[in-house]
Each structure stands twice: as C-alpha cells, then as structure tokens.
Amino acid sequence: MDRLCIDIWHQFDSSHNKLQPPNTAAAVKEMATTNGFPNEIKASALDLIGETPIIALDRIYPGPGRILAKCEFMNPGASIKCRSSLHMIRKARESGALKPGAPVVEVTSGNQGCGLAVVCAVMGHPLTLTMSKGNSAQRAIHMEALGAKCVRVPQVEGTYGNVTLADVKQAEAEGLRLVDELGAYYVNQFNNEANAEAHYKTTGPEIWRQTGHRVDAFVATVGTAGTFTGTSKYLKEKNPELLSVVVEPTGSEPIKGKEITKPLHLLQGSGYGCIPNLFKFDYMDDTISVTDEESVEYKNLIGEKEGLYVGYTSGANVAAAVKLLQSGRLPKDAWVVTVLNDSGLKYTPVPRDCQ
C-alpha cells in the first residue's frame, strides 16, 4: 500500500494510477492492533495534525499570572495552518467542489501552502501555490519538498521579509489566473468559512480540555482571522467572561481602527493592513499592538529560555500576553492562552542570490 488516506480510505495503485477502495474493516483493524496488542501507528501524516501540546512559559514570565502557549509548530507542516488546510480540503471533497485527484490552487504567505502541501500529498491532489517573493524562501523550499509547485511572485512595494497587502494582491492575481488555466479548485483561505470552523472544532476544544476548563484570556495575531475567530468563538461559549484580544503590528492596526502608518513589518502572514472577511468583532474585546523589536525580543526569549525555536508572530503573541498580564485588566492569577504559530526554521536568513 503506497499511501492510505484516512479521509476516504482509498488505496493507491501506482501501476495503474487509480484509486481503489481497500477492505476498510481490515485496514482499520490492521492499524489498531499488532499480534492482538494495541499499537499507536498513524495511518498518514493527516493523523499528525492537531492535538498539539500546550506549554507553560514560566521561564519567560514567572508571574503573577501564567502564559500558556499552544505548540502549533509541531504540526507536520510546521504551523497552525495544517488544521485549516485539512478541514478546508475535506469540506471541499465532501461537498463535491473538489473531485478526487483534481488540481488545487491557493495563494499563500507560506504556512497555508505548507499545510496544503501535506494534505494534498496524502490525498493525491496536484497543488500549485502562488506566494510573494517577499515571503521567506524557506517556505517555498518546504512546499516543493512535499510535491507542490510554488510560483514566487515579484513584490509591488514591500521588501524581502516585509510583505504588504499590495504584494498579496499581486500573488492573488497570479493565483486566480492559474485557477482558470489549470481548471483547479481554489481554496480561497481568506473567504473560506471552513478556515475558521477548523479552529472552532479543534483548536478551541483542545485548549479548553488541556487547561482543565480554565482560560481567562486568549490572544492571537490575525492574518485570515481563521484562528482568532474560530478559537475565540468556542472559548467564549465556554467562558463568557473570557477576554479575547487581537495582536496587531504597531503601525498596521486596522482592527483597532487606526490609520496604517507602517505597512512594512516582520509579522509575515499577519497584519496586512485590512480587516479580513472572516474576522468577527463579536468575538473580540480589545487589541494590543506589538513592535518589530518586541516581536524579535520575545521570539529570542522563547528560544533562549524555553528551548523552542519559533517565528516572529509567535514572539508577537507572547509579547502581547505579557503586556496583557501586566496591564491590570485581569486577576493577578489569570491564565492567558496564546499560540506559537510556526517554526523559526521558516524564517532563517538566506543569501540574497537565493531569493
């Protein structure tokens, strides 16, 4: 058996290039036991998505209060976007919008593309991604290592490591052209309700269970708003007193209602200078701004004090959590939950001639 897709339980026959249904009951039994003893074998990389651990960042912030961080960099695509990638593709398959083996196209800053590359590799969908050249080259390397094609689109106004809304729109235009050219299914993460639903069904419930039903506040950066909207919605249903806070890069704070004065910042995949269509003000209580310097400081502290190598948005999330605990808005013993969005390996500097 070359690959086993847990979504449809089809066997791939490489000699005839066809999907064939296996004996489902036998396949499940084979994965569940070995010589009559239970095993923990996963059917595919899709089984590695979600159920990430939550860790106390007590060495960075010893109190009063506590910062708890969901380790989303431990997903197989090394970011939180694996969750929405799997859910969006499954929903598209269930609805019939995406046929087995059909091509898929998406516009990405890198993390969604890596998540989709994991999912499409397992489920047998050719994947093409468009991404601004301003996003880290490591992301393109990661996606293509998983069999996807990444088209890197020249920037309009940003610089390497700093991607603006105009740069994203340029990548989007190329992506839409490829959708027509390839007759592909367009994931459309910025407008796909299944994006936020993925976090309502997985991230929120996991946080609630892992904390023993205790969450006083939730803070997160906003890109598509899928993570913030879905997670906040679930947690507020469980705790109506929850304080839910958006993290925005200083100078690019449209959710706060401020004029954009600094469209260039280090938070790739976040803070595009617009209010995403999936964002719901009903689930937000406040915003906190974080500078590039603060993001770098806490990104480094997460590595040096907690032993975790994460990206800039993770640093921003933790910086905001510290600010919130120090603001006096919460009880002194409050627990603030945030997410470590992705691995720092996606940001490692590269020589300019590799860009």
Side-chain angles (χ1 to χ4, degrees):
M1 188 185 306
D2 293 308
R3 58 179 78 172
L4 187 63
C5 171
I6 64 170
D7 188 38
I8 56 174
W9 290 100
H10 274 171
Q11 185 172 336
F12 182 76
D13 182 344
S14 59
S15 62
H16 296 92
N17 197 31
K18 294 179 181 178
L19 288 170
Q20 297 180 344
N23 182 325
T24 304
V28 172
K29 183 177 180 181
E30 180 183 353
M31 299 306 295
T33 62
T34 303
N35 297 325
F37 294 96
N39 66 53
E40 298 181 6
I41 299 170
K42 304 298 185 183
S44 76
L46 304 187
D47 279 349
L48 305 179
I49 296 174
E51 289 298 336
T52 56
I54 195 164
I55 185 171
L57 302 182
D58 294 340
R59 283 143 292 278
I60 287 178
Y61 188 80
R66 206 172 200 195
I67 298 173
L68 306 176
K70 200 91 161 77
C71 297
E72 292 302 298
F73 59 88
M74 295 179 70
N75 282 297
S79 91
I80 195 167
K81 294 288 190 172
C82 285
R83 294 176 182 268
S84 55
S85 293
L86 178 58
H87 194 61
M88 289 188 292
I89 292 298
R90 278 182 166 167
K91 295 289 283 189
R93 287 289 297 264
E94 290 169 6
S95 70
L98 176 61
K99 305 298 181 185
V104 173
V105 167
E106 179 59 322
V107 182
T108 182
S109 65
N111 281 337
Q112 193 79 71
C114 291
L116 286 168
V118 171
V119 175
C120 288
V122 175
M123 296 183 69
H125 293 283
L127 174 64
T128 302
L129 301 148
T130 61
M131 183 179 78
S132 170
K133 280 192 172 182
N135 291 117
S136 306
Q138 282 74 14
R139 300 173 180 219
I141 294 169
H142 188 169
M143 291 182 271
E144 293 189 336
L146 302 183
K149 178 182 179 181
C150 180
V151 178
R152 302 188 69 206
V153 181
Q155 289 185 268
V156 176
E157 60 182 13
T159 59
Y160 185 72
N162 305 102
V163 178
T164 68
L165 181 61
D167 296 331
V168 175
K169 291 292 185 184
Q170 190 81 349
E172 181 184 47
E174 177 62 13
L176 292 174
R177 186 189 70 78
L178 289 169
V179 169
D180 291 336
E181 179 183 303
L182 300 173
Y185 171 73
Y186 181 44
V187 178
N188 197 12
Q189 59 173 308
F190 278 90
N191 299 289
N192 193 327
E193 293 291 340
N195 180 348
E197 186 181 63
H199 299 286
Y200 179 78
K201 290 190 170 184
T202 67
T203 315
E206 288 173 30
I207 289 171
W208 189 246
R209 187 191 77 242
Q210 290 170 327
T211 59
H213 299 185
R214 180 183 172 185
V215 183
D216 297 300
F218 175 69
V219 302
T221 53
V222 168
T224 64
T227 298
F228 184 85
T229 298
T231 306
S232 294
K233 178 182 178 182
Y234 182 88
L235 292 176
K236 279 184 170 291
E237 287 177 359
K238 294 300 181 181
N239 175 16
E241 302 302 315
L242 176 95
L243 193 67
S244 194
V245 179
V246 166
V247 181
E248 293 188 288
T250 300
S252 184
E253 303 161 67
I255 294 173
K256 189 176 180 65
K258 297 183 68 174
E259 180 182 354
I260 306 303
T261 59
K262 188 178 181 292
L264 298 182
H265 53 78
L266 292 177
L267 306 188
Q268 292 186 45
S270 173
Y272 286 123
C274 66
I275 299 174
N277 290 338
L278 295 178
F279 185 78
K280 307 296 182 186
F281 280 94
D282 291 347
Y283 308 127
M284 183 203 80
D285 297 295
D286 203 356
T287 69
I288 291 177
S289 65
V290 176
T291 65
D292 281 351
E293 293 75 17
E294 289 169 330
S295 299
V296 172
E297 177 187 0
Y298 278 91
K299 171 186 180 297
N300 292 342
L301 284 172
I302 294 166
E304 294 164 5
K305 290 185 175 292
E306 303 290 352
L308 303 174
Y309 187 36
V310 296
Y312 294 103
T313 55
S314 302
N317 281 341
V318 174
V322 171
K323 287 184 175 184
L324 181 59
L325 282 166
Q326 292 177 340
S327 70
R329 293 191 61 185
L330 295 169
K332 287 189 176 181
D333 62 348
W335 286 6
V336 176
V337 174
T338 191
V339 286
L340 303 179
N341 290 320
D342 62 6
S343 167
L345 293 171
K346 292 174 180 274
Y347 300 85
T348 306
V350 296
R352 299 296 297 184
D353 58 4
C354 291
Q355 297 168 17

